[in-house]
Amino acid sequence: MKLDEALDLIAEVPDFPEPGVLFRDLSPLFADGPGFAAVADALADTLDPAADLVAGVEARGFLLAAAVGYSRGMGVVLVRKPGKLPSVAGRVDYSLEYGTASVELPAGVVKPGQRIAVMDDVLATGGTVAATAKLLEDAGATVTGVSVVLELAALSGRSTLDGRSVHALRTV
């Protein structure tokens, strides 16, 4: 399947999780084998060759990072929502388009000096990705870039990422 056809599988859900928000649902894309493969391959092509690990942000970022990590023979760091980890290396709170949230890094999985690519499904305000990058850098890693399936340009998330290399498969 061509990448554009795969990206066309993303559904738009108005007024979710609250009125006025247009949610982009990647579930139909994940459920389509050829579409998911096309997106995973395209994301893998965005990685900096120097990256040692791929960090996926809960929850859809896990699926993407795992597929890309597997295809490239790389390990995956799972950045979690609070309360999911038995041992936490760090926590960062951040703002979303429609509220606030936090992410945590599992203890003992990131080593100082590692180069890590950050992967998520959607770049909106940039808060989730910026918080993830901060967690990784606080652990002594270097963020090599950010790769997302979809970028919501109107929310200016890229501008919050301090000049980081950002790759979006589609910008709307």
Side-chain angles (χ1 to χ4, degrees):
M1 175 179 287
K2 292 181 182 176
L3 180 60
D4 281 340
E5 293 171 9
L7 295 172
D8 287 344
L9 295 170
I10 298 169
E12 294 183 347
V13 182
D15 298 322
F16 182 82
E18 65 180 44
V21 175
L22 180 61
F23 183 79
R24 292 344 194 267
D25 184 8
L26 275 69
S27 297
L29 170 63
F30 290 134
D32 185 280
F36 183 48
V39 165
D41 290 344
L43 286 170
D45 288 344
T46 69
L47 291 186
D48 183 324
D52 300 310
L53 295 167
V54 181
V57 183
E58 189 166 345
R60 292 172 297 274
F62 288 1
L63 300 170
L64 299 164
V68 169
Y70 175 79
S71 76
R72 290 292 173 103
M74 299 169 70
V76 177
V77 176
L78 303 177
V79 176
R80 305 293 313 261
K81 295 176 183 173
K84 306 285 185 176
L85 298 169
S87 182
V88 176
R91 175 183 173 147
V92 174
D93 301 320
Y94 61 97
S95 296
L96 292 166
E97 175 186 3
Y98 45 82
T100 60
S102 303
V103 289
E104 295 179 340
L105 182 67
V109 299
V110 172
K111 295 171 182 49
Q114 286 186 305
R115 297 164 305 212
I116 303 177
V118 174
M119 193 157 294
D120 205 3
D121 61 335
V122 177
L123 177 62
T125 62
T128 305
V129 171
T132 297
K134 180 168 178 19
L135 279 174
L136 296 169
E137 290 167 348
D138 286 351
T142 299
V143 174
T144 63
V146 174
S147 298
V148 297
V149 176
L150 192 63
E151 179 179 359
L152 307 179
L155 297 178
S156 303
R158 187 180 291 253
S159 69
T160 67
L161 299 178
D162 300 323
R164 296 182 190 283
S165 173
V166 178
H167 302 278
L169 300 185
R170 178 174 281 173
T171 300
V172 294

